[in-house]
Amino acid sequence: MSHQHKHGTHSHSHAPTNKKILSTSLAIIDSYMIIEFLGGYYFNSLALMADAGHMANDSLSLLLALIALFLNTQQQKWAALLNGASLIVVAVWILVEATERWQYPTTMLALPMLGIAITGLLVNIFVAWLMMKGDHENLNIKAAYLHVLADLFGSLIAIIAGLSAWLLNWQWVDLVASGILSLLILRSGINVVRQAVKALQNNEAKFDATARRH
């Protein structure tokens, strides 16, 4: 009993810090996600748009971790299902757009795109450093932190695409990079949906079992 009380106090003492870290990280990621998407649109870089989609995945994880501190688990599961579905839509849209651009190529403005991609990497590094200060015994916070680390990989892919276009004029690398990133987003979205559906089904099964007992 004393162990449970101690753990509860430990979690409670971390709550204000966790809220501050998660809300700050969410604001930074959301702001730069919009910048990356607009940069990708105006500079003709699908890789940047795809990395913005990858950042949307981070944003979802951060948002759910923040919601977990306020709402009940049932509401979190429905939020996860909705956000997982939106990630799948984003991934499919990027893949369709990449296919169209492969048929009708557009020239990417490599240097400004590269600037945004490098800044995106720095943003991810800063958010990862910020989240290292959170309570990693909280599984939602730990998951959000791992998502941010994974997005560092997405930023590196976008930087490689920008360098290839700028130094070698290999415009096709942007399309390949966007395809890789969109597949990563698609996998994340499918996993989120699968986990949310499983959690909702388990919850419904428990409810039915309880109803039958009564």
Side-chain angles (χ1 to χ4, degrees):
M1 182 72 183
S2 61
H3 173 73
Q4 285 180 331
H5 178 73
K6 186 180 177 185
H7 182 73
T9 306
H10 172 79
S11 298
H12 181 73
S13 67
H14 273 87
T17 307
N18 288 337
K19 286 175 187 175
K20 187 177 179 181
I21 289 170
L22 287 170
S23 55
T24 304
S25 299
L26 182 63
I28 293 168
I29 289 288
D30 279 355
S31 300
Y32 206 75
M33 175 180 70
I34 293 167
I35 291 169
E36 272 209 331
F37 183 82
L38 291 175
Y41 179 79
Y42 286 112
F43 303 139
N44 294 323
S45 172
L46 267 184
L48 267 189
M49 287 191 197
D51 197 40
H54 211 274
M55 281 188 124
N57 192 18
D58 296 349
S59 177
L60 158 65
S61 190
L62 288 163
L63 182 62
L64 289 178
L66 190 59
I67 286 171
L69 301 175
F70 297 96
L71 300 180
N72 64 48
T73 51
Q74 183 70 5
Q75 290 168 321
Q76 289 173 48
K77 289 165 190 172
W78 281 109
L81 183 64
L82 182 64
N83 281 293
S86 69
L87 287 174
I88 292 171
V89 170
V90 167
V92 170
W93 175 76
I94 293 167
L95 283 170
V96 170
E97 189 71 17
T99 305
E100 285 183 8
R101 289 204 184 185
W102 191 268
Q103 294 173 324
Y104 307 101
T106 54
T107 303
M108 179 179 66
L109 302 176
L111 205 54
M113 175 271 183
L114 191 56
I116 290 178
I118 291 170
T119 308
L121 177 65
L122 296 175
V123 166
N124 278 313
I125 290 170
F126 176 72
V127 171
W129 171 79
L130 195 63
M131 291 198 66
M132 280 175 68
K133 300 179 180 182
D135 175 20
H136 285 231
E137 287 181 27
N138 182 314
L139 292 179
N140 282 305
I141 290 172
K142 188 175 182 180
Y145 172 68
L146 292 173
H147 273 285
V148 172
L149 287 183
D151 194 39
L152 288 171
F153 175 67
S155 297
L156 287 171
I157 290 177
I159 289 168
I160 290 168
L163 284 171
S164 299
W166 182 43
L167 298 174
L168 304 168
N169 200 28
W170 289 355
Q171 298 282 337
W172 57 268
V173 177
D174 184 68
L175 295 178
V176 173
S178 68
I180 292 168
L181 287 172
S182 60
L183 288 174
L184 290 173
I185 299 164
L186 186 63
R187 189 184 70 171
S188 297
I190 290 169
N191 285 339
V192 169
V193 168
R194 190 179 292 151
Q195 288 169 14
V197 168
K198 189 177 179 181
L200 287 166
Q201 285 173 340
N202 288 343
N203 193 70
E204 194 174 324
K206 285 178 186 175
F207 179 79
D208 289 345
T210 306
R212 278 197 295 271
R213 278 202 298 271
H214 290 290

